Amino acid sequence: MTLTPEDLRYTEEHEWVRRVGPARVRVGITDYAQSQLGDVVFVQLPEVDKEVAAGDGIAEVESTKSVSDIYAPLAARVVAVNGDLGSEPEALNSDPYDAGWLFELEVADAGGLDETLGELLDAEGYRGVIGG
């Protein structure tokens, strides 16, 4: 069974989003996504300070099966990346919601973040996307 934490928001492209500050979110790929990818062997992360628009392809995850683009779930600036994935990309498989996070984004308008997150899928909505 796929793990889908209730406290996160999700995209149809299989990213999860966790609010970690007034204007900041942490982003990763879902348990479902990592299981579909297979063994992750390389992660290309975005540059810190890069401005992104919602839907921009900003990272890549390479597995033994394929290469998958990771998309920005909202318009923001990249403020942190998980540098540990350079030497431990398998953390995406073993711990996708904690050690396997990809990057953090910060929005310019903290007041609008609640509304933006509300437009993403909740756990139930995401389970509908993946059929589980």
Side-chain angles (χ1 to χ4, degrees):
M1 186 170 130
T2 300
L3 181 62
T4 310
E6 295 290 331
D7 64 325
L8 302 178
R9 303 304 284 187
Y10 300 89
T11 70
E12 291 189 13
E13 292 78 27
H14 311 291
E15 288 99 18
W16 57 261
V17 181
R18 173 184 290 132
R19 190 174 198 158
V20 294
R24 188 181 282 208
V25 297
R26 182 172 280 182
V27 180
I29 64 170
T30 65
D31 186 44
Y32 174 82
Q34 71 79 21
S35 70
Q36 297 299 303
L37 283 169
D39 294 335
V40 174
V41 296
F42 179 75
V43 180
Q44 179 181 331
L45 297 170
E47 292 180 27
V48 172
D49 287 331
K50 179 182 175 109
E51 295 284 340
V52 296
D56 282 359
I58 64 169
E60 288 184 349
V61 174
E62 183 178 333
S63 72
T64 54
K65 292 182 181 179
S66 68
V67 175
S68 296
D69 287 325
I70 306 299
Y71 300 96
L74 46 91
R77 181 174 57 91
V78 177
V79 292
V81 297
N82 186 352
D84 292 343
L85 295 177
S87 60
E88 299 176 30
E90 65 276 3
L92 282 174
N93 295 117
S94 63
D95 195 5
Y97 296 113
D98 287 308
W101 66 278
L102 295 170
F103 51 85
E104 291 185 358
L105 300 173
E106 189 168 274
V107 298
D109 176 20
L113 186 55
D114 285 334
E115 182 179 336
T116 301
L117 291 175
E119 294 169 2
L120 299 176
L121 299 167
D122 61 11
E124 182 179 342
Y126 182 68
R127 284 191 287 270
V129 169
I130 62 174

